[in-house]
Amino acid sequence: MREVVEYRTVDDVAVTTAKVLYKHHFCALPIFWAKLSSVKTVVTRFATEAAAFIKRGGVVAFPTETVYGLGANVFDEQAIRKIFEAKERPSDNPLIAHISIESQIHELAAEVPRAAKKLIERFFPGPITIVLRKVESVPLLATAGLQTIGIRMPAPQLARDFLSACAVAVVAPSANISGRPSPTTWQAVQEDLDGRIDCILQGEATQIGLESTVVDCTSETPVLLRMGAISMETLGEVLTDIRVADTSTVDSPRSPGLKHKHYSPRADVVLMRRGQEMHSAGAYGFIGLSEPGTPVAISKVCHSVDEYAASLFEFFRECDRLNVKTIVCEAVEEKGIGAALMDRIRRAAAAD
Ligand code: TXA
Ligand code: MG
């Protein structure tokens, strides 16, 4: 008689496969092999179905206004380990905890300083992450050994439905293989993580397209660790004092993630001044606000800086699918989301 097994999470499949192979005398190798074997990744539009995987210790990709995240229960170390494995993420890169209601902050943070309170009042829910001192019960695995935790409350309804159905804070990095451009569509998540994660909550393409603004509120003067849609100018409306992290020196231990290779397509990325002529035509990709002026393999001319930001990572991925060798990105003015956009382009260019 055939045994019917209901697989609940990636690990259930790994363990079951290992047991079957072990029974048939294929010795210890199966455990290692089974960990690498693929699992069916469920794609669903239903927040409650996706949340059920989190409750069972699984990992789920879900949409936010910035990029898709890959989530697990913040208090479940085994589940958090699966995030690092699926993404091939270095273990010294901390995760952001996503919440659906403000009261969850107190399950994660030991204290909420005045500056943080102001940011929360003004920008939650929204594309901002606030770094606070963590409580003991938040595992160091989630924070990469730091005594602080990044907290964020996404705004879109589907994200909020998912997070409230989870009934626990969900740690989630972007749902890409580490070093690849962050996913802005569920299909991009599938491209990187199909067979590695339990579920994808299928939503629309993300509205902003660049990761959240990260502000460290653990010291007297708040520090901007990562630029995002909430710009330095906008933060300045709420905070009297804020400084930008100097990642090359004193601030590098504050945000270890920034030192890792990021946002990079396989193609080389080149930054071009606004309105500059492209001299050679051919196997180039071009993205910017102006026409490329010369024939290229693929181009995306955006009508606004917002559209440019929302399109950048998917354009990088499309260029890789077409095997484009060089992507030319037109520079924009570094104000508003333009500063975050230029930051991501520079990082992608530097990664080559
Ligand atoms: O928009 C976003 O923030 C997306 C969505 C899914 O929420 N998430 C995201 O996560 O971009 P990730 O893991 O790709 O980037 C998180 C970065 C880390 O690399 C680090 O630079 C910073 O946020 N970070 C997280 N926790 C931190 C902490 N405790 N202290 C300092 N920086 C932290
Ligand atoms: Mg990321």
Side-chain angles (χ1 to χ4, degrees):
M1 197 182 80
R2 270 188 59 195
E3 224 180 316
V4 180
V5 185
E6 190 193 340
Y7 299 121
R8 291 183 178 275
T9 68
V10 176
D11 260 16
D12 287 354
V13 176
V15 169
T16 309
T17 314
K19 277 184 191 159
V20 169
L21 291 177
Y22 190 73
K23 211 162 88 184
H24 292 85
H25 308 292
F26 285 93
C27 70
L29 191 65
I31 303 214
F32 175 69
W33 177 83
K35 278 268 177 199
L36 295 178
S37 72
S38 80
V39 63
K40 179 156 171 41
T41 301
V42 172
V43 179
T44 179
R45 287 181 179 278
F46 299 106
T48 47
E49 189 183 353
F53 283 98
I54 297 285
K55 291 180 173 166
R56 295 197 295 254
V59 288
V60 174
F62 64 98
T64 76
E65 67 273 64
T66 58
V67 299
Y68 275 70
L70 177 62
N73 176 346
V74 66
F75 299 112
D76 183 341
E77 295 201 36
Q78 233 184 319
I80 296 171
R81 222 164 264 127
K82 291 181 201 168
I83 291 181
F84 283 95
E85 275 170 22
K87 276 188 58 103
E88 298 171 27
R89 183 176 175 99
S91 58
D92 63 349
N93 197 354
L95 308 179
I96 294 168
H98 296 68
I99 58 172
S100 56
I101 43 169
E102 275 186 33
S103 58
Q104 284 178 306
I105 295 172
H106 305 287
E107 294 163 21
L108 304 166
E111 59 183 10
V112 185
R114 238 167 65 87
K117 282 196 185 117
K118 285 191 195 168
L119 293 175
I120 289 164
E121 195 180 312
R122 170 77 185 268
F123 300 117
F124 272 26
I128 190 165
T129 298
I130 296 174
V131 175
L132 298 172
R133 274 204 321 114
K134 77 173 193 72
V135 292
E136 196 72 18
S137 54
V138 169
L140 289 168
L141 189 64
T143 65
L146 297 173
Q147 290 299 335
T148 57
I149 176 98
I151 303 176
R152 145 161 160 70
M153 187 193 281
Q157 196 56 50
L158 188 57
R160 304 194 71 172
D161 290 348
F162 167 68
L163 292 168
S164 61
C166 290
V168 69
V170 169
V171 271
S174 50
N176 51 294
I177 297 279
S178 279
R180 299 269 301 136
S182 294
T184 55
T185 65
W186 69 268
Q187 292 95 332
V189 176
Q190 200 173 41
E191 185 174 63
D192 277 16
L193 299 177
D194 192 31
R196 294 174 175 234
I197 62 174
D198 296 298
C199 177
I200 299 173
L201 177 57
Q202 180 184 358
E204 303 298 315
T206 60
Q207 192 208 333
I208 293 170
L210 302 179
E211 305 84 348
S212 61
T213 304
V214 180
V215 183
D216 183 341
C217 291
T218 59
S219 51
E220 189 62 27
T221 305
V223 182
L224 177 67
L225 296 180
R226 182 173 70 184
M227 289 191 233
I230 296 180
S231 64
M232 196 63 176
E233 300 92 305
T234 311
L235 291 171
E237 291 170 14
V238 177
L239 301 175
T240 44
D241 204 6
I242 177 164
R243 65 182 184 86
V244 182
D246 178 356
T247 47
S248 64
T249 58
V250 286
D251 294 320
S252 49
R254 281 174 180 257
S255 196
L258 294 182
K259 73 172 187 276
H260 292 292
K261 183 169 174 269
H262 255 107
Y263 321 115
S264 58
R266 281 184 282 277
D268 290 340
V269 174
V270 176
L271 185 61
M272 191 184 88
R273 278 200 317 278
R274 178 116 210 238
Q276 189 185 335
E277 288 278 301
M278 271 185 72
H279 291 302
S280 29
Y284 284 91
F286 172 88
I287 183 164
L289 297 173
S290 326
E291 293 288 337
T294 176
V296 289
I298 174 173
S299 69
K300 169 90 188 162
V301 178
C302 306
H303 301 289
S304 66
V305 179
D306 284 346
E307 186 190 344
Y308 189 171
S311 311
L312 183 76
F313 288 150
E314 184 50 31
F315 186 76
F316 281 174
R317 283 176 177 268
E318 187 57 22
C319 287
D320 278 351
R321 286 177 206 123
L322 297 174
N323 234 345
V324 166
K325 296 287 175 262
T326 305
I327 304 171
V328 176
C329 301
E330 188 183 23
V332 297
E333 209 183 328
E334 294 192 44
K335 64 169 201 213
I337 199 170
L341 176 59
M342 289 292 282
D343 169 70
R344 302 311 191 272
I345 295 172
R346 285 203 183 96
R347 284 175 196 280
D352 296 333

